[in-house]
Amino acid sequence: MKAELKQLLPALRRFAYSLTGSMADADDLLQNTVLRLLNTPPDEGVPLPRWAFKVCRNLWIDDYRAQKVRQQATQQVDLQQENFSDGEQDMLNEIQLGEVNAAMNTLPDEQREVLSLVAVRGLSYQEAATVLAIPAGTIMSRLARARVAMVNALKLNGGLA
C-alpha cells in the first residue's frame, strides 16, 4: 500500500490544492490525508485512489466547517477590538452580511456547498464537480437553484431593492 500511496501523492497534492487554493494549506491537507490513510487503510476491495481522494475531501470539509465555527466565534462582540470608522457604513455592511449569511443558511446543504465552492472559493464548475464527485451539469443546476433561492430570500428580507 505504501508504494501505491507514494505514486498517488502528486495527484493527491494537486487535488488538495484545488480544494484549498493555497499551496501551504494544500500541503497541510495532504499531510493530514496521508496520516489518516496510514492509520485507517481502505477496506479490502476498495481501490486506494478512490479512498484517498474521499479521505482528502472529507478532511477538507471538516477543516472548512471548523474554520466557519472559528469565524463565527471571532465575530462575537466581546472578542472584537474596537475600531473607529464610519459607523453608519459599518452597520449597513453588517446588516447586509447578516442577511446574506441568513439567506445562505436557508439553502439545502447541496446548494450551499456548491455556492460556497464556486462563488466564495472561486472554483470552476469542473473543479467543484471533482471535489464533490458529481457531474459538472449537476454543479450548474445546483448553483442556478441556489442563486435563485438567494435572490428570493434576500427579497423577502428586504435585502435587495
Side-chain angles (χ1 to χ4, degrees):
M1 179 179 114
K2 289 183 182 181
E4 188 180 3
L5 181 58
K6 188 175 181 180
Q7 290 178 339
L8 191 59
L9 285 178
L12 265 175
R13 188 170 192 236
R14 287 190 300 271
F15 180 65
Y17 178 72
S18 75
L19 294 175
T20 63
S22 158
M23 284 309 295
D25 292 339
D27 287 341
D28 289 343
L29 178 57
L30 178 63
Q31 180 179 359
N32 291 335
T33 301
V34 171
L35 283 172
R36 180 72 55 92
L37 291 171
L38 292 174
N39 291 331
T40 312
D43 292 333
E44 199 65 35
V46 176
L48 180 62
R50 189 173 95 195
W51 178 252
F53 285 99
K54 184 175 183 174
V55 167
C56 186
R57 177 179 172 260
N58 288 343
L59 286 172
W60 174 73
I61 289 171
D62 290 346
D63 185 55
Y64 176 77
R65 289 178 180 155
Q67 285 178 1
K68 188 175 178 181
V69 168
R70 286 191 297 269
Q71 286 174 345
Q72 289 173 349
T74 59
Q75 291 176 357
Q76 293 177 4
V77 176
D78 57 335
L79 297 177
Q80 293 180 354
Q81 295 179 349
E82 287 188 40
N83 292 328
F84 297 99
S85 61
D86 180 6
E88 183 177 350
Q89 186 60 47
D90 287 346
M91 183 179 68
L92 290 174
N93 289 342
E94 284 294 319
I95 290 170
Q96 288 173 341
L97 182 61
E99 290 171 349
V100 169
N101 281 336
M104 287 258 322
N105 288 335
T106 65
L107 295 176
D109 289 341
E110 299 85 20
Q111 291 178 13
R112 184 172 46 247
E113 188 174 45
V114 168
L115 190 62
S116 295
L117 289 172
V118 175
V120 178
R121 302 277 302 170
L123 271 65
S124 69
Y125 294 160
Q126 189 57 50
E127 289 171 328
T130 301
V131 168
L132 300 175
I134 58 176
T138 303
I139 294 290
M140 293 186 291
S141 174
R142 288 180 183 176
L143 185 60
R145 289 193 309 269
R147 287 176 173 160
V148 168
M150 286 289 292
V151 167
N152 290 337
L154 290 170
K155 281 182 181 178
L156 283 176
N157 293 331
L160 294 177

